[in-house]
Amino acid sequence: MADNQHKRIAIIGAGISGLLACKYALSKGFHPTVFEAQPGIGGLWNKTLSTTKLQTPKPVYQFSDFPWPDSVTTDFPDHDQVLDYLRSYADHFHLTDHIKFNARVLRIEYRGVGDDEMEAWHLWGGNGEAFSGRGGKWEIEFSSNNGSESEVFEADFVVLCMGKYSDVPNIPKFAPGKGPEAFQGRVIHSMEYSDLKTGEIEELVKGKRVAVVGLQKHALDIAMECSEINGKESPCRVIYRTEHWNVPDYMPWGFPLAKLYLNRFAELLIHKPGEGLLLSLLATILSPIRWAIYKFVESDIKHRHRLAKHGMVPKHSFLTAISTCLLSTVPEKFYDRVEEGSIVLKKAPNFSFCKEGIKVEGGDKEEPPLDVDVVILATGFIGEKKLQNIFGSKRFGEIVVGSPDGVVPLYRGCVPPRIPQLAVLGYSESITNLFTSEMRSRWLAELLDGKFKLPAIKEMESEAAEWDAFFKEYGRQFYKRASISIVHIWYNDQLCKDMGWNPRRKNGLWAELFEPYGPADYVFP
């Protein structure tokens, strides 16, 4: 560990992944420096609505060695409780001592090794280790003195923990004369809405005809806020293109979803990357059970939320939805608000703007414009753009982002095979994202500490291609959002094997097969 003290680790972002990367780097004797553009930790939790609640139950969404306090009794903590939890974690492990706040990274550049030499490497970095034997360094240019100046920090290794749900909003493209400029009201993105204080939200929404574009978690939360302010007198319209599975927090008779999806038996029903002939045959043989489970879940959700009555039954399967993280927990009483008329759901295959408001396009018949005063675009973010833009080298940005579809070809979900001394955490998705980020951070810390080497670059690329094929098979039309959600135990098994851990974390065959896996199972190596 003595030599680790002299290696300079730069971590970009102090959200969940950044905090975890910092904590586990410290555990190996490194002295990392974390660059955070905001004045505080929390990442996306600093930029979301105050009414937002956790979508994942807290037993799954927690640090392995830092449980939620007893004072938090709900399974789905709210915004303030989550931020308090993250701050307590950072304080407990003295992480803030290593964070530069209000330090926005402007660019990163790799120096010391030419492109031709890197292309000729058989092993990552030339030696398969975290720190290249060729002496390359990363330059991190960041803003300082409240953005009036910039400085350069030199690092031996960079960990990008920037996330994908911030900074670069996804604004729909419109034909000339049919965009927001044609509208006489106000159009903002949900990112701007989240920055508003309570009084400013009231001023924006009160007595106004509001339309929210989108149907994911942020859109639902905003619609609930608007309906709370205006009620039935000025109902909030939710404009959406595709119906999605919005899940309750439990199944009938209180049967938790985790017992259906977060155990090894559930993963035996799924074809997995690198599974071998026996597991492949087993997944095929058990496919009727898989079909029955997913149909059972779909049936319950349809009944519970009266989806057929509201024309909200998705055309894609629940398996596709959970494979691509296209699930969100419905805010409490959301469909009650739909029933009472304070929220109005409106499907729009396409839409454009006109003077009066929104023009719905692509339906069976032409409809009159929807008269609105305010439009809030809850249309997500372009995460790959943010990732690309941070590199001084355009080539490096293209390598990390990968295919035109935007799926990042990272080995073990962490390392770009063709770029040395770099890891990306918190970019690829999982329904248990904190849990996944912690496992990746622990794996990365062991790599940094020299406990194992990476295989040949071609082997890394081959495995990334296998995962890409898996994402396409189960992600279907939503392939760009595909994640490890339905095989996260299988994925963690690979990380455990690399680190020299026993991947079997339960006591007894029954528990190993049917008990949900969570953070507590990985407290110790």
Side-chain angles (χ1 to χ4, degrees), residues 378-500:
T379 47
F381 297 84
I382 310 176
E384 59 268 24
K385 281 286 184 189
K386 182 169 68 167
L387 205 54
Q388 279 183 320
N389 292 344
I390 200 170
F391 288 96
S393 165
K394 181 181 177 183
R395 187 178 80 88
F396 275 17
E398 290 172 348
I399 289 173
V400 172
V401 170
S403 75
D405 291 315
V407 175
V408 183
L410 302 175
Y411 176 72
R412 297 290 195 247
C414 303
V415 171
R418 294 280 174 184
I419 303 180
Q421 297 158 250
L422 178 77
V424 182
L425 300 179
Y427 184 78
S428 53
E429 296 182 281
S430 168
I431 56 171
T432 54
N433 214 41
L434 186 152
F435 178 20
T436 303
S437 293
E438 181 161 18
M439 287 301 294
R440 286 173 173 165
S441 296
R442 297 179 85 165
W443 180 89
L444 179 60
E446 297 293 342
L447 175 65
L448 291 169
D449 198 34
K451 291 298 182 350
F452 62 90
K453 291 185 178 183
L454 298 182
I457 289 174
K458 291 195 177 200
E459 187 177 333
M460 295 166 69
E461 291 178 329
S462 176
E463 183 184 298
E466 277 193 71
W467 278 94
D468 196 48
F470 165 79
F471 293 149
K472 286 177 178 173
E473 178 181 358
Y474 288 100
R476 307 286 175 127
Q477 67 267 42
F478 307 113
Y479 156 64
K480 289 200 298 184
R481 292 181 55 104
S483 75
I484 65 166
S485 296
I486 56 174
V487 289
H488 86 282
I489 302 171
W490 175 260
Y491 169 78
N492 285 339
D493 286 351
Q494 319 310 313
L495 302 187
C496 286
K497 290 173 185 176
D498 288 345
M499 296 186 288

Side-chain angles (χ1 to χ4, degrees), residues 180-194:
E181 72 281 357
F183 177 44
Q184 62 184 2
R186 184 173 177 185
V187 180
I188 64 173
H189 189 268
S190 59
M191 180 174 72
E192 185 180 347
Y193 181 92
S194 297

Side-chain angles (χ1 to χ4, degrees), residues 338-351:
V338 175
E339 294 270 0
E340 74 179 20
S342 59
I343 292 177
V344 177
L345 301 170
K346 178 64 179 176
K347 183 166 184 173
N350 292 292
F351 77 96

Side-chain angles (χ1 to χ4, degrees), residues 3 40 51 83 139 160 172 180-181 187 234 249 252 258 268 294-295 302 345 378 400 426 431 444 466 511:
D3 188 50
T51 55
L83 269 181
E139 286 183 1
L160 297 179
E181 72 281 357
V187 180
S234 297
D249 57 7
L268 288 178
Y294 281 95
K295 286 302 175 184
K302 285 189 282 188
L345 301 170
V400 172
I431 56 171
L444 179 60
E466 277 193 71

Side-chain angles (χ1 to χ4, degrees), residues 11-281:
I11 300 169
I12 301 175
I16 287 170
S17 293
L19 295 177
L20 285 161
C22 181
K23 189 257 189 180
Y24 284 104
L26 286 168
S27 74
K28 297 299 182 181
F30 295 100
H31 292 284
T33 300
V34 183
F35 297 87
E36 172 52 52
Q38 302 299 316
I41 67 166
L44 186 61
W45 283 102
N46 263 323
K47 300 179 180 181
T48 193
L49 307 181
S50 59
T51 55
T52 298
K53 292 186 177 182
L54 197 61
Q55 293 195 80
T56 308
K58 69 176 183 182
V60 179
Y61 196 92
Q62 71 175 10
F63 301 104
S64 64
D65 55 356
F66 194 78
W68 285 85
D70 293 338
S71 58
V72 179
T73 56
T74 175
D75 269 349
F76 296 89
D78 63 28
H79 169 270
D80 292 335
Q81 290 171 317
V82 173
L83 269 181
D84 286 344
Y85 177 60
L86 298 180
R87 289 165 182 155
S88 296
Y89 179 81
D91 291 341
H92 181 77
F93 292 106
H94 308 289
L95 304 183
T96 51
D97 298 342
H98 302 270
I99 302 175
K100 289 181 180 288
F101 292 107
N102 298 306
R104 179 176 293 279
V105 172
L106 306 175
R107 65 167 185 89
I108 63 173
E109 194 86 54
Y110 190 65
R111 303 291 189 190
V113 179
D115 289 356
D116 291 341
E117 183 179 349
M118 279 191 278
E119 284 295 324
W121 282 345
H122 169 67
L123 294 171
W124 188 63
N127 57 5
E129 299 176 4
F131 303 103
S132 171
R134 308 306 173 95
K137 302 280 186 182
W138 283 96
E139 286 183 1
I140 297 98
E141 182 183 359
F142 66 97
S143 61
S144 58
N145 293 329
N146 296 317
S148 61
E149 300 174 12
S150 68
E151 298 180 41
V152 174
F153 179 90
E154 189 177 78
D156 298 290
F157 198 98
V158 170
V159 189
L160 297 179
C161 301
M162 300 157 54
K164 63 192 298 185
Y165 296 118
S166 61
D167 294 342
V168 184
N170 177 34
I171 306 296
K173 291 183 170 52
F174 301 95
K178 292 189 173 184
E181 72 281 357
F183 177 44
Q184 62 184 2
R186 184 173 177 185
V187 180
I188 64 173
H189 189 268
S190 59
M191 180 174 72
E192 185 180 347
Y193 181 92
S194 297
D195 289 336
L196 298 176
K197 296 180 174 58
T198 302
E200 294 171 327
I201 291 175
E202 287 258 359
E203 183 180 346
L204 173 70
V205 170
K206 185 69 174 175
K208 307 285 179 56
R209 298 167 298 180
V210 180
V212 178
V213 179
L215 198 64
Q216 286 299 297
K217 177 62 173 171
H218 213 182
L220 301 182
D221 286 340
I222 293 172
M224 285 294 286
E225 284 197 355
C226 293
S227 70
E228 184 73 33
I229 294 170
N230 285 333
K232 294 184 289 185
E233 291 72 25
S234 297
C236 176
R237 289 190 176 94
V238 176
I239 313 296
Y240 67 94
R241 176 182 295 172
T242 305
E243 299 85 359
H244 290 297
W245 293 104
N246 301 125
V247 297
D249 57 7
Y250 60 91
M251 290 299 296
W253 315 291
F255 194 78
L257 283 170
K259 287 189 177 292
L260 287 178
Y261 299 111
L262 303 183
N263 58 42
R264 286 194 184 277
F265 179 75
E267 296 195 3
L268 288 178
L269 313 180
I270 302 294
H271 288 286
K272 299 168 284 295
E275 64 188 351
L277 180 59
L278 180 60
L279 289 177
S280 177
L281 284 173

